[in-house]
């Protein structure tokens, strides 16, 4: 029986050591790959940030319809309507 325990203990030590070495090798490889990817990453360009995209035409049409309704109800004058319409169309 003592010989059997010694064999099992030896196997456990060898398996534990192999696992520890394997894990360390994996971590080192991941570190190298991460460093390699960072060095290969393109440098950020010095371009200015782009302006946000203009609202699509359907939203502009909806805004113009609402403005027209407000004008028809008498909430906006004709000059206020024209100013707001110009702002919407220029945006």
């Amino acid at each position: 029986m003592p010989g059997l325990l010694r064999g099992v203990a030896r196997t456990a030590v060898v398996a534990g050591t192999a696992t520890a070495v394997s894990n360390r090798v994996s971590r080192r490889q991941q570190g190298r790959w991460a460093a390699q990817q960072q060095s290969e990453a393109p440098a950020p360009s010095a371009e200015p940030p782009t302006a946000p995209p203009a609202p699509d035409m359907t939203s502009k049409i909806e805004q113009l319809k609402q403005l027209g309704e407000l004008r028809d109800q008498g909430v906006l004058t004709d000059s206020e309507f024209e100013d707001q319409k110009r702002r919407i169309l220029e945006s």
Side-chain angles (χ1 to χ4, degrees), residues 22-33:
S22 174
N23 289 340
R24 183 155 190 260
V25 168
S26 294
R27 283 193 303 269
R28 286 176 59 196
Q29 284 178 338
Q30 287 176 349
R32 286 180 184 166
W33 291 336

Side-chain angles (χ1 to χ4, degrees), residues 2-71:
L4 181 62
L5 285 177
R6 190 177 305 147
V8 169
R10 183 176 296 153
T11 302
V13 168
V14 170
T17 303
T19 302
V21 170
S22 174
N23 289 340
R24 183 155 190 260
V25 168
S26 294
R27 283 193 303 269
R28 286 176 59 196
Q29 284 178 338
Q30 287 176 349
R32 286 180 184 166
W33 291 336
Q36 198 174 36
Q37 286 177 346
Q38 287 177 350
S39 66
E40 292 175 357
S45 62
E47 297 176 17
T50 59
D56 62 343
M57 200 54 151
T58 57
S59 67
K60 288 183 180 183
I61 291 172
E62 287 299 317
Q63 290 176 346
L64 290 173
K65 285 180 183 178
Q66 291 173 354
L67 277 176
E69 290 172 2
L70 290 173
R71 183 190 59 191

